[in-house]
């Protein structure tokens, strides 16, 4: 259900939505005749396997199992079009994907990000909890309980994190 009004140099998007499975994507906002934008796009728990099965090429669908993963996001664009400020928050929970040959499994409990873009400046935070790669044929595992990244002023700071290899080796990683 998309409701667009184009009238007198105005684009108005009112109470618009679309659905991915049973999860709504809500769109609302406007661009006025002075080129001021205020648009919001929100979604809660979009099931990524549904999108994968609908849009991935057949050879990719035949190669990988995308068992779970729900994406939620909130995107906003505000201000004059030439220098509008964009903000984005996204959360991905319960990601589970592997290949059908059982060579690897990728698991992730929760990925959360928050970004703002103003002109050429990008700032943001990323937090990732319980990321793991499993290699069933070799019985190898690599897990990271927590990963935190901060992006500001063209710098990327990755905080100290612990990697667990095969449940018996712990590595402390310092990046940047």
């Amino acid at each position: 259900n998309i409701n667009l009004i184009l009238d007198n140099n105005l684009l108005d998007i009112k109470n618009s939505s679309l659905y991915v499975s049973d999860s709504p994507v809500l769109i609302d906002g406007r661009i006025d005749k002075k080129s001021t934008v205020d648009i919001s796009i929100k979604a809660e728990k979009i099931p990524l396997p549904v999108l994968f099965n609908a849009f991935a090429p057949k050879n990719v669908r035949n190669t990988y199992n995308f068992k779970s993963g729900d994406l939620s996001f909130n995107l906003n664009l505000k201000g004059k079009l030439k220098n509008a400020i964009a903000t984005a928050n996204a959360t991905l929970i319960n990601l589970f994907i592997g290949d059908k040959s059982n060579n690897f499994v990728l698991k992730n409990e929760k990925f959360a990000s928050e970004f703002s873009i103003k002109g050429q400046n990008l700032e943001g935070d990323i937090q990732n909890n319980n990321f793991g790669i499993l290699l069933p044929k070799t019985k190898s595992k690599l897990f990271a309980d927590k990963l935190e990244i901060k992006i500001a002023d063209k710098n990327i700071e990755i905080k100290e994190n612990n990697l667990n290899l095969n449940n018996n080796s712990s590595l402390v990683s310092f990046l940047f």
Side-chain angles (χ1 to χ4, degrees):
N1 183 21
I2 303 293
N3 296 310
L4 294 175
I5 298 171
L6 298 166
D7 186 32
N8 199 23
N9 292 325
L10 172 74
L11 168 63
D12 208 357
I13 307 165
K14 293 187 176 204
N15 302 320
S16 295
S17 62
L18 58 95
Y19 285 83
V20 177
S21 194
D22 292 328
S23 300
V25 177
L26 307 172
I27 307 163
D28 199 47
R30 70 183 323 178
I31 302 174
D32 68 19
K33 56 185 159 189
K34 294 182 180 179
S35 297
T36 301
V37 63
D38 185 358
I39 295 178
S40 172
I41 304 171
K42 299 176 185 177
E44 288 292 326
K45 294 188 177 179
I46 294 175
L48 294 182
V50 170
L51 292 175
F52 177 79
N53 290 327
F55 297 110
K58 186 176 182 180
N59 64 327
V60 175
R61 288 192 316 269
N62 289 339
T63 304
Y64 299 100
N65 285 322
F66 201 140
K67 293 185 179 181
S68 65
D70 291 329
L71 176 67
S72 299
F73 62 84
N74 185 355
L75 307 171
N76 293 292
L77 185 61
K78 293 184 181 206
K80 291 283 190 186
L81 277 176
K82 286 186 179 180
N83 56 3
I85 297 172
T87 58
N89 302 330
T91 304
L92 175 60
I93 58 171
N94 300 323
L95 179 67
F96 191 99
I97 187 169
D99 70 329
K100 292 185 178 179
S101 299
N102 207 28
N103 291 312
F104 81 94
V105 174
L106 184 108
K107 296 170 62 174
N108 201 53
E109 183 179 298
K110 183 177 181 184
F111 170 90
S113 65
E114 185 174 311
F115 288 96
S116 68
I117 302 169
K118 183 178 182 181
Q120 301 270 331
N121 296 327
L122 168 69
E123 294 184 358
D125 292 301
I126 298 171
Q127 291 190 355
N128 200 67
N129 296 329
N130 295 322
F131 171 79
I133 299 173
L134 308 163
L135 305 173
K137 290 182 178 178
T138 62
K139 298 181 182 173
S140 299
K141 302 175 188 178
L142 177 68
F143 279 93
D145 292 333
K146 189 169 192 170
L147 175 65
E148 294 180 50
I149 301 171
K150 184 168 186 67
I151 300 168
D153 301 322
K154 298 182 183 178
N155 294 314
I156 299 174
E157 175 188 350
I158 301 177
K159 298 185 178 179
E160 177 183 321
N161 57 81
N162 293 309
L163 301 174
N164 186 304
L165 182 62
N166 295 331
N167 292 329
N168 59 15
S169 298
S170 184
L171 307 167
V172 177
S173 176
F174 296 96
L175 299 174
F176 298 98

